[in-house]
Amino acid sequence: MTTVLVAGATGSLGSLIVKNLLARGAHVRALVRRPSTDQSAAHPNLTLCVGDLADGSDALQRHVDGVEVVVSAVQGGPEVIIDGQRELLRAAERGGVQRMIPSDFSVNLFGYGYGINVLSDLRRVFADAFATSTVARTSVAIGAFPEYFLGPVHEVLDPAAGTFSVWGDGTRPIDITTIPDTAAFTAAIALDPKTANREVHVVGQQLTMLELHDEIETVSGRRWELVRRGTLDDLRAEIVRRQFTASSVVEYVALQYQVAMFDGTASLRDVRNADYPDVTPTPVATYLAEWNFRDKCREVYPRNFS
Ligand SMILES: NC(=O)c1ccc[n+]([C@@H]2O[C@H](COP(=O)([O-])OP(=O)(O)OC[C@H]3O[C@@H](n4cnc5c(N)ncnc54)[C@H](OP(=O)(O)O)[C@@H]3O)[C@@H](O)[C@H]2O)c1
């Protein structure tokens, strides 16, 4: 039975990766910074490992000894994505780990170069660490999580104004995969040794922004005014403008993802869903139907509903 260590096991994605791995019969070591009674009451094949990537490779070593695959679903800035994951990789090398899935779970970020997206750059820098590693890298690309893409940071939906905004002509298909589907694919990929030294692209559904707008109108039963915010060059200019004034990358990074999604450089290629026939991704319409627009908008856009 394969033993997998999951870093970021308390996160939105990592916690579901743990569940999916257990469902597939793997032994799972969940790296957590603060253990809770909830987690310790869990599954016979689940071991809690208390640790922080900031503890360094010596401290992480005991958690990876005997592990075949490391999956990282951590989130953070360079101290986590570059420095912290490097410590985990060093520990994995010493522990004889065969493969590591880094915390990418993004658009096809290797489809574009440095300087396009500040968060992708962190992941590209970490990917370079595998060039001299004994641990094989498996990167998982899934496109955008609808849970985030339809949230306030992306500025696509504005429930108070009743608008759906699009940059460009909205006719190029984009890649959308829910967090639960990403977790299901990732567990399958973690247990698939053929994925060593590969970037594996899997997807929930590919559809254009105009199709997404129509699906949202159908499922929500209300009109969402389509707002055309400008061309992709206008979008690039808006990103540069915000970079001068922003107090945080959150103010422009979503637009950096969008420009690469809408110009096609971040589009998934060679999609491998057929390699994982037991994962049935959720169509966007089904996801949206379960989304319960009014309650969800109230939850993710609290200011608009206060
Ligand atoms: N494609 C998309 O649209 C999209 C959208 C969002 C996220 N993502 C990606 O999905 C991945 C997971 O994101 P998420 O939303 O699931 O993140 P999340 O819910 O914020 O969870 C982050 C996890 O990382 C852990 N962590 C952070 N720093 C750590 C450290 N120094 N040592 C050990 N653990 C640490 C956190 O532990 P604590 O619980 O202790 O804080 C938590 O378990 C990331 O790569 C993110 O970029 C993709």
Side-chain angles (χ1 to χ4, degrees), residues 1-226:
M1 194 50 58
T2 309
T3 301
V4 183
L5 177 127
V6 179
T10 52
S12 320
L13 175 62
S15 56
L16 296 181
I17 294 174
V18 168
K19 282 191 183 143
N20 277 274
L21 284 166
L22 291 170
R24 287 178 178 272
H27 287 273
V28 179
R29 296 191 197 167
L31 185 72
V32 298
R33 294 197 280 190
R34 288 169 292 274
S36 77
T37 40
D38 243 32
Q39 295 156 342
S40 46
H43 193 282
N45 288 352
L46 176 64
T47 308
L48 283 194
C49 301
V50 179
D52 190 311
L53 299 192
D55 296 341
S57 57
D58 289 344
L60 295 168
Q61 177 78 58
R62 65 197 164 95
H63 300 313
V64 295
D65 279 340
V67 163
E68 283 129 300
V69 182
V70 168
V71 178
S72 172
V74 294
Q75 177 66 304
E79 71 293 350
V80 177
I81 298 297
I82 301 178
D83 305 334
Q85 290 198 112
R86 269 190 192 145
E87 294 301 323
L88 186 58
L89 179 61
R90 276 190 202 115
E93 286 163 357
R94 283 196 237 127
V97 169
Q98 293 159 16
R99 258 184 321 127
M100 176 169 172
I101 299 181
S103 195
D104 296 340
F105 307 112
S106 186
V107 295
N108 174 21
L109 63 95
F110 300 97
Y112 49 89
Y114 278 105
I116 304 292
N117 181 303
V118 64
L119 298 185
S120 301
D121 285 350
L122 306 181
R123 286 155 177 82
R124 293 170 65 90
V125 169
F126 178 59
D128 291 343
F130 286 86
T132 53
S133 181
T134 52
V135 178
R137 167 178 157 266
T138 301
S139 178
V140 176
I142 50 79
F145 294 165
E147 293 88 339
Y148 283 77
F149 194 69
L150 298 177
V153 172
H154 271 276
E155 305 171 9
V156 172
L157 279 188
D158 182 338
T163 55
F164 177 101
S165 293
V166 57
W167 292 92
D169 64 12
T171 58
R172 183 187 288 278
I174 58 168
D175 307 295
I176 295 193
T177 308
T178 66
I179 296 175
D181 289 343
T182 300
F185 277 124
T186 302
I189 292 165
L191 300 177
D192 176 4
K194 294 191 304 297
T195 61
N197 298 314
R198 281 178 43 205
E199 282 151 23
V200 183
H201 293 194
V202 284
V203 72
Q205 192 177 347
Q206 296 171 310
L207 77 178
T208 68
M209 285 295 278
L210 298 184
E211 288 166 343
L212 181 61
H213 169 257
D214 290 350
E215 298 231 346
I216 286 175
E217 284 201 331
T218 305
V219 168
S220 65
R222 62 175 269 193
R223 184 165 176 271
W224 293 81
E225 185 193 343
L226 185 69

Side-chain angles (χ1 to χ4, degrees), residues 242-277:
R242 290 193 192 190
Q243 283 172 321
F244 280 110
T245 56
S247 52
S248 149
V249 298
V250 175
E251 291 173 38
Y252 59 84
V253 73
L255 298 186
Q256 291 188 319
Y257 283 116
Q258 287 185 32
V259 81
M261 289 165 75
F262 300 158
D263 74 9
T265 50
S267 299
L268 300 182
R269 323 223 186 268
D270 187 22
V271 170
R272 307 299 296 195
N273 285 27
D275 292 352
Y276 306 102

